[in-house]
Amino acid sequence: MVLRFLTGGESHGRALSVIVEGLPAGLPVTEEDLQAELARRRLGFGRGPRMRFEQDAVTLLGGIRHGRTLGSPVVIEIANTEWPKWEVEMSPAPGVPSKVLTQPRPGHADLAGMQKYGFDDARDVLERASARETAARVAAGTLAKLLLSHIGVTVLSHVVQLGPERSAGGPMPTPEDLARIDASPVRCFDEEAASRMEAAVRAAAKEGDSLGGVVEVLAYGVPVGLGSYVHWDRRLDGLLAQALMSIQAVKAVEFGEGWDVAGRRGSKAHDAIHWNPAEGSVSGGYRRATTRAGGIEGGVSIGGLIVAHVAMKPLATLNRPVLETVDVVTKETTLSFKERTDVTAVPAMGVVAETMTALVLASEALRKFGGDSLAEFIRNHEAFVSALGTAPSAPPLALR
Ligand code: EPS
């Protein structure tokens, strides 16, 4: 990735931190921008008690001066306001935990993590496997979104399925609808489905159970030509799929109508190409009649809208554990240890999916347009888009 980031920190540690490398100089960034995105991630009906008191206290430690990036690594710390309660249990000083967790939760990283790293205590795994880490990703993604906004790219998400409840379909939301989506307790654009989803969360909560679901991610204004077909690891859909699959508890990613088109005939599976010079410059005037491919063909963005679906399994931590597990010390069948948890984190996952999409698109945009300063990046994007022209390419000289 041209734009790289590395997060550090544990769920109940002192702080999370992230270093973002590769941003051009001159990008306006404020602490309020970061706080606003972090607050969006904490939204969502079905989250546990921690989200009510965890504050995501942001400190900018480097790479930004007087509200603009310097081109050097941006270093952000997000303090865990819960730290005072965990200071002893999570202390970095030599010592032993007061309670050892030996009954791993089915579906979580606990058991495989303990075996892989040689731990006796599942807390040594779960503290880092926790989705709390996504707060640091969202901070990095805020910078990517800000960069993309300067070339007219907007990424948004909405929940299309929560547990068994699905939205009815209908028109896709546009960037103007984002405030309405965020105002929905389950981040669902379809109000009728939203109330069914809330009822499903209430029912699962009553039984100490958890719910998964699906979000749709929409990236508007993406220029043609991000990603490439020339190597497997440069394909935009491959890059986005990896980034989206890396979100904790995500089990499937689809572009456009991916699963459905597999069962159709070719004549019903692709997007017809039309020419309309008024269609907007990022696609050079070409327009696809449908979004079956999700805006990516041959691993290259076709210009305009990218559509992805991201499926999250129900959280593995259950308020009322019922699945059998084995105590790693006694080897006896038992139920897992109890850990505070959410009923569902699908609405928050949507914000993280936006983040991961924005980071990949910003990275690929920087690869294509380059630029050490924001002004240079914008100029290069404008030059490319205007050179796409609104007329078909002229034949090569030799053939005239
Ligand atoms: C999480 C469990 C809960 C969530 C946490 C992720 O934390 P706790 O055990 O402290 O109540 O609240 O999510 C966050 C803290 C966050 O910021 O998203 C887990 O097991 O992954």
Side-chain angles (χ1 to χ4, degrees):
M1 298 257 287
V2 177
L3 184 65
R4 295 181 293 158
F5 72 100
L6 199 62
T7 72
E10 277 68 44
S11 180
H12 301 97
R14 184 188 292 273
L16 296 170
S17 57
V18 62
I19 299 180
V20 186
E21 210 284 316
L23 286 168
L27 177 69
V29 181
T30 65
E31 205 180 295
E32 290 70 41
D33 294 325
L34 294 158
Q35 287 290 5
E37 279 298 293
L38 288 165
R40 290 183 65 232
R41 194 197 65 95
R42 290 197 304 271
L43 292 175
F45 189 64
R47 300 229 56 195
R50 182 168 174 187
M51 288 302 96
R52 284 195 290 276
F53 36 79
E54 190 59 81
Q55 287 309 309
D56 293 336
V58 169
T59 312
L60 299 177
L61 294 178
I64 297 174
R65 181 165 183 252
H66 298 153
R68 285 173 191 275
T69 55
L70 294 171
S72 53
V74 174
V75 188
I76 304 168
E77 181 189 87
I78 305 166
N80 287 328
T81 50
E82 282 271 80
W83 170 244
K85 281 191 236 157
W86 290 85
E87 210 166 341
V88 176
E89 200 60 20
M90 292 298 292
S91 170
V96 287
S98 61
K99 187 175 167 215
V100 177
L101 304 175
T102 58
Q103 295 123 14
R105 295 161 295 173
H108 219 289
D110 301 344
L111 182 55
M114 290 164 90
Q115 291 178 294
K116 177 175 169 67
Y117 290 100
F119 294 135
D120 304 323
D121 180 2
R123 181 159 306 284
D124 287 329
V125 176
L126 71 88
E127 282 291 332
R128 182 61 187 167
S130 160
R132 170 76 190 144
E133 184 259 349
T134 60
R137 300 197 200 192
V138 167
T142 307
L143 304 174
K145 283 183 177 181
L146 288 170
L147 179 69
L148 290 171
S149 72
H150 290 275
I151 56 167
V153 177
T154 311
V155 184
L156 64 107
S157 70
H158 61 125
V159 173
V160 294
Q161 183 180 344
L162 212 168
E165 304 297 346
R166 291 166 195 262
S167 66
M172 280 175 185
T174 64
E176 289 72 45
D177 298 314
L178 192 55
R180 207 185 106 192
I181 295 167
D182 282 347
S184 157
V186 282
R187 301 198 68 255
C188 178
F189 189 49
D190 172 347
E191 279 174 32
E192 189 275 322
S195 42
R196 282 188 280 117
M197 289 175 184
E198 282 178 60
V201 173
R202 256 184 241 109
K206 222 182 203 169
E207 289 164 34
D209 222 325
S210 62
L211 293 179
V214 180
V215 301
E216 182 169 74
V217 182
L218 302 168
Y220 283 91
V222 179
V224 63
L226 300 193
S228 177
Y229 52 82
V230 303
H231 287 298
W232 69 270
D233 58 353
R234 289 193 52 198
R235 287 180 175 259
L236 185 63
D237 38 8
L239 294 168
L240 285 168
Q242 201 275 324
L244 293 167
M245 284 293 287
S246 77
I247 301 169
Q248 292 81 342
V250 165
K251 295 303 270 184
V253 176
E254 172 192 60
F255 294 97
E257 298 172 18
W259 284 105
D260 260 17
V261 294
R264 289 185 210 156
R265 289 190 171 187
S267 56
K268 302 274 188 294
H270 303 290
D271 302 313
I273 302 172
H274 297 286
W275 163 249
N276 177 4
E279 192 50 44
S281 50
V282 293
S283 64
Y286 295 97
R287 183 177 69 82
R288 303 299 192 280
T290 45
T291 54
R292 291 164 173 164
I296 302 172
E297 288 174 351
V300 181
S301 60
I302 60 179
L305 177 64
I306 288 180
V307 185
H309 299 110
V310 186
M312 183 186 206
K313 67 183 180 182
L315 295 173
T317 315
L318 301 179
N319 275 316
R320 199 177 295 161
V322 288
L323 287 172
E324 287 179 347
T325 186
V326 172
D327 188 301
V328 296
V329 177
T330 64
K331 302 291 189 277
E332 275 167 13
T333 297
T334 179
L335 296 178
S336 75
F337 61 83
K338 277 193 74 172
E339 179 81 357
R340 209 169 44 176
T341 186
D342 308 322
V343 178
T344 187
V346 175
M349 186 274 282
V351 177
V352 182
E354 290 175 18
T355 281
M356 296 310 291
T357 302
L359 283 158
V360 170
L361 293 178
S363 184
E364 287 306 299
L366 282 166
R367 181 200 282 275
K368 174 131 187 72
F369 306 120
D372 292 308
S373 68
L374 178 66
E376 191 180 2
F377 173 71
I378 294 171
R379 261 197 324 269
N380 293 347
H381 168 265
E382 273 170 13
F384 172 73
V385 166
S386 59
L388 285 171
T390 50
S393 311
L397 268 181
L399 301 179
R400 278 183 197 156

